[in-house]
Amino acid sequence: MTANLSLTLDGRYNGPGGPGDFAAFAPYVTSEVARDHMNRIWESATTALLGRINAEGFMGYWPAVAEDGNADPRDRGYAKWLVDTEKVVLSTTLTEAPWERTRVVNAPAADVVTDLKATGEGDILVNSSASIIKPLLAADLLDRLYLMIFPEIAGGGQRLFDDGLSASTWMLTHQQSGELGEIAMVYDRVR
């Protein structure tokens, strides 16, 4: 069970303007380190687990990248994987799957992950969906965290690591820094 998320130095996954405020992230998301990191997250994943907001946003962007011969090959690789892989979207409001090879589930994230782990093969990747990552952290169901840290202090916005999480230990298994000060890290849960 893996999860990917980008954060500012002050631990925010969006800015003070709310869920769509990614101004602090924009200068870094197309860096060499960020693109290499994006490819790393899906290498062994066979299922993408997404929240509704990300699923709808991804659906509007990535399919065109998969077909764009001028796109960076790493972007195209990720886009093709995302379009072609099994996707599970957690939502209380969607009634139809927004994409091919997608199913919508209205259930707690921990229950969905338990079911997916029992029936699937390969890694399950929670892709940039903090609304899913947070309850999985609380339930200690994540085995790997892929984090991109951008050298910005957002000064507001939502944090990934809320107070009240149970203590846990993680081992740094990969790190790479970029020219802009961004850092890609992979942490594995020590059990």
Side-chain angles (χ1 to χ4, degrees):
M1 189 66 230
T2 67
N4 169 59
L5 199 61
S6 296
L7 303 170
T8 59
L9 281 177
D10 54 345
R12 315 286 181 163
Y13 57 87
N14 60 37
D21 182 357
F22 297 110
F25 299 73
Y28 309 99
V29 295
T30 58
S31 74
E32 294 299 308
V33 169
R35 282 188 162 131
D36 288 346
H37 187 69
M38 183 172 61
N39 269 347
R40 193 175 302 111
I41 70 172
W42 62 268
E43 288 175 333
S44 61
T46 58
T47 304
L49 183 57
L50 301 162
R52 178 192 56 83
I53 292 172
N54 275 2
E56 291 175 340
F58 287 1
M59 181 182 65
Y61 181 76
W62 288 110
V65 174
E67 301 299 323
D68 183 356
N70 294 319
D72 183 284
R74 293 165 293 187
D75 294 350
R76 283 189 72 201
Y78 169 77
K80 286 181 178 185
W81 170 82
L82 187 61
V83 168
D84 293 341
T85 199
E86 176 190 5
K87 292 165 283 297
V88 178
V89 177
L90 297 185
S91 176
T92 59
T93 58
L94 286 179
T95 56
E96 293 183 16
W99 242 344
E100 291 181 21
R101 289 176 285 289
T102 303
R103 61 189 166 106
V104 176
V105 179
N106 181 359
D111 294 348
V112 172
V113 165
T114 300
D115 290 345
L116 287 172
K117 287 174 93 171
T119 59
E121 295 180 13
D123 288 344
I124 303 160
L125 170 64
V126 181
N127 199 0
S128 299
S129 295
S131 64
I132 299 171
I133 296 170
K134 289 172 120 181
L136 294 180
L137 279 169
D140 197 20
L141 288 173
L142 290 176
D143 301 307
R144 174 171 283 172
L145 284 171
Y146 294 97
L147 299 175
M148 277 295 305
I149 307 297
F150 299 133
E152 302 274 340
I153 293 177
Q158 296 171 296
R159 292 182 188 272
L160 176 60
F161 302 107
D162 292 328
D163 289 342
L165 280 175
S166 296
S168 60
T169 302
W170 297 78
M171 178 182 291
L172 180 66
T173 58
H174 178 85
Q175 69 180 4
Q176 182 181 4
S177 59
E179 293 178 7
L180 301 173
E182 73 279 21
I183 303 173
M185 297 179 292
V186 180
Y187 283 96
D188 286 345
R189 175 73 168 91
V190 176
R191 299 199 187 273

